[in-house]
Amino acid sequence: MRLLAVILRVLFVAAPFLVLLLLAASFARAEASSPIDLTMLSLEDLMAIEVTSVSKKTEHLSDAAAAVYVLTGEEIRRTGATTIADALRFVPGLQVARVSSSWWAITSRGFAGNFSNKLLVLIDGRSVYTPFYAGVYWDAQDVLLEDVERIEVIRGPGAALWGANAMNGVINIITKEAAKTQGYFSKTAAGSQEKRLVEQRYGASIGENARLRIYAKYADRDGFPPAAGSDANDGWSSIQGGFRLDGEAGRSRHFTVQGDAGEGEVEGAYSFPIVQEPYYAEIEDTTRFRGGNVLLRWTETLSDLSELSVQAYFDRSDRDNIRFSEEHNTIDLDLHHRWRPIERAEIVWGAGYRTISDRVDSVQGGYTVPAERTVGIASGFVQTDLALRADELYLTLGSKFERNEYTGLEIQPNARLRWLPSENHTLWGAVSRAARTPSRVERDAVIEWETIPPYSSDNRSPYPAIATLYGTDDFRSEKLTAYEVGYRFHPGDRMMIDLTTFYNRYTCLRTGEIGAVRFQGSPVSWIVLPVYGTNLGEGQTYGAEAAIDWRAANRLWFRTGYGYLRLDVWTDESGEVIEVEAAEGASPEHQAFTQAFVDLPGPVQADIGARYVDRLDRFDLGSHLTLDARIGWQPDAHVELFLVGTNLVGPKQVEFVPELRNGRFAVERAVYGGASIRY
């Protein structure tokens, strides 16, 4: 890992000089190889985009019986995003709030948090959902965006195929095959927030039947200004490299081998509860993260009616800061088979096994987790698509069966009905059950959360009380039953409209039950207020989402989205039960965005995106409206110069509040520019 970091840093130092040389050489070339022109895509092209996340098989976007939205790689490039998290800001119904410079709260259909634990995220079929906290470390997912083929976002349960934790949605990031990234690509940028950004990639053939690419990326990002509570720097940097090899072993066999390795550092301040005034201590520290993975996939077409795929990956991740250090090693095996036994029926089935071993060391007092644990998860699924009436009415039935060592067997079925009443109209409905299994922290950890001062409204005693969270073996899975109805149509040949409404009913949501208090210290100086994890919460969400694609003219394309969400949470017992989830008020009731992609003569591309986010009552944060813009100029088919501005209107804004770190951070106006070349 260290050697890789040294090699990558040498490459990055030389990168600007290499870019200048290639820029000079590129003007002498006549051959063009520019990216796909986004604004020239027709609605038929958009409807024909193939997705795989809804059914674990290839199908057209227009045929998917789910609330699925697709961001293409070219669309991501023209938004000016430099991270996966920022690219997701323009997805209807998806809440993307920046907690700090390096941290995002991302969720679908409510229950936002620093770790939004009901959303499963995959990169090329590899889960990046951490089993430690239950959530995603977004700062460690620094994919080279130029290599992203598309991001498929499913709002709503995907557990019948993807298993536990795909409760409120699935984000599947799919990178391009190596054959689509041949030649050289380089990008260099710098600005106020993006202090330095360097990306390098090279792709080449290996014999007649295999293609390879290698890449490296370095990013150094400035911190956000503290809005309140801390003056600590919030900057972060990361470095990552990897490869992908795609090949053919005969006419019907395809294989992929890919891997990534990287590391990064995040500056920040952490608060710890103490028993003297001001009842918390702030310590500045650097979080360091490292990781790597290798994935192998073999796909064989057995016949026109049958296809088999086998996938295996190993993933290692380390993370340490002043609170604790954690190491995770994951081995995952997965098999799935698609089979069409009769003309009107298709079956997809599969099985898998995953083992996760970890080691956790507490560094600072107040955070205790048993040092080591290994868990295994065995699973299987089957799903059948039936054509009840050819070209008009389809029924999908399926379920995931998953056994884990925390809660035993989880059964997560779904039923979906798709009706095509006439050309260009699709009406669908679904009923699904899903589960969110306990995390390592919820089972094993003891965390001193905060100090409640003496003589306060929550502590009438003369002693300070430290609320301490206890994981328990009795903590169970959270459950969801979801009902969805969607309507997708395109009136005319320039507009497509996608509407969805949903109702979600939750049971066994995470709560905390206050135990018997005890005095601590000699002589007695404070109270330990134990809070044990329980599942006494219930809740419901309902709402609607809309997405509109409008090709207003040649070389002018609008994308617009809107999401409405209502969330209520309650407990099913009276007594001393508190809501640890605290979900109400953490997600906006209304969200909306509109994007315009414009191709001007020159050739110049001018792209604008505006977003509105409603207030968050839980944190007393007001609503905000902001605007991002990007302008790109291609003086040569191989070269692009670009300038990007984010949060261009309105004051700097706190979008979410950290839980494990001190202070609030405001997202401010930022500008960066740079150049990219490709051969």
Side-chain angles (χ1 to χ4, degrees), residues 338-514:
R338 179 182 59 81
W339 178 41
R340 183 181 290 276
I342 59 175
E343 184 176 353
R344 288 195 171 193
E346 188 172 40
I347 298 173
V348 181
W349 67 274
Y353 184 78
R354 179 180 300 169
T355 177
I356 305 168
S357 59
D358 66 32
R359 178 179 177 82
V360 182
D361 294 319
S362 299
V363 178
Q364 187 81 8
Y367 204 109
T368 306
V369 183
E372 296 180 354
R373 188 155 187 167
T374 298
V375 296
I377 304 169
S379 65
F381 76 91
V382 60
Q383 178 163 290
T384 303
D385 291 329
L386 299 170
L388 302 179
R389 188 176 300 171
D391 300 324
E392 185 176 344
L393 190 62
Y394 298 86
L395 175 65
T396 300
L397 298 171
S399 181
K400 184 91 171 184
F401 305 90
E402 193 170 273
R403 174 172 288 280
N404 68 84
E405 296 182 10
Y406 288 149
T407 61
L409 181 64
E410 302 285 355
I411 300 175
Q412 300 169 93
N414 90 149
R416 296 179 182 273
L417 190 66
R418 179 165 57 97
W419 179 37
L420 311 176
S422 62
E423 188 178 5
N424 302 331
H425 293 259
T426 301
L427 180 66
W428 63 270
V431 180
S432 313
R433 286 183 60 85
R436 204 271 298 175
T437 52
S439 69
R440 177 88 147 85
V441 167
E442 288 166 327
R443 276 295 180 124
D444 295 334
V446 179
I447 304 173
E448 293 182 353
W449 190 254
E450 67 175 347
T451 303
I452 305 174
Y455 303 113
S456 63
S457 58
D458 295 325
N459 178 19
R460 300 293 186 187
S461 77
Y463 305 102
I466 296 183
T468 305
L469 309 183
Y470 286 81
T472 69
D473 290 340
D474 295 330
F475 191 83
R476 294 169 288 147
S477 296
E478 298 180 326
K479 305 288 187 181
L480 164 69
T481 302
Y483 307 87
E484 301 173 277
V485 175
Y487 180 39
R488 190 177 294 126
F489 66 106
H490 52 103
D493 58 358
R494 289 185 174 272
M495 180 176 289
M496 183 177 76
I497 299 175
D498 191 348
L499 307 173
T500 306
T501 183
F502 63 91
Y503 174 77
N504 291 343
R505 182 70 170 86
Y506 299 88
T507 57
C508 301
L509 287 175
R510 184 175 67 194
T511 52
E513 183 173 8
I514 298 175

Side-chain angles (χ1 to χ4, degrees), residues 9 104 109 121 141 193 209 232-233 259 302 384 399-400 402 419 445 448 489 506 530 666:
R9 285 195 171 93
W104 286 261
R109 298 180 177 174
V121 181
Q141 317 309 325
Q193 174 68 27
N209 299 319
N233 182 30
L302 304 175
T384 303
S399 181
K400 184 91 171 184
E402 193 170 273
W419 179 37
E448 293 182 353
F489 66 106
Y506 299 88

Side-chain angles (χ1 to χ4, degrees), residues 283-294:
I283 301 175
E284 293 190 29
D285 188 44
T286 299
T287 295
R288 294 177 174 81
F289 60 85
R290 296 163 294 277
N293 64 83
V294 177

Side-chain angles (χ1 to χ4, degrees), residues 186-208:
S186 177
K187 178 179 177 180
T188 302
S192 56
Q193 174 68 27
E194 304 289 340
K195 294 164 61 178
R196 285 183 292 274
L197 178 66
V198 181
E199 300 174 351
Q200 305 286 320
R201 186 193 67 208
Y202 182 71
S205 299
I206 299 179
E208 295 183 355

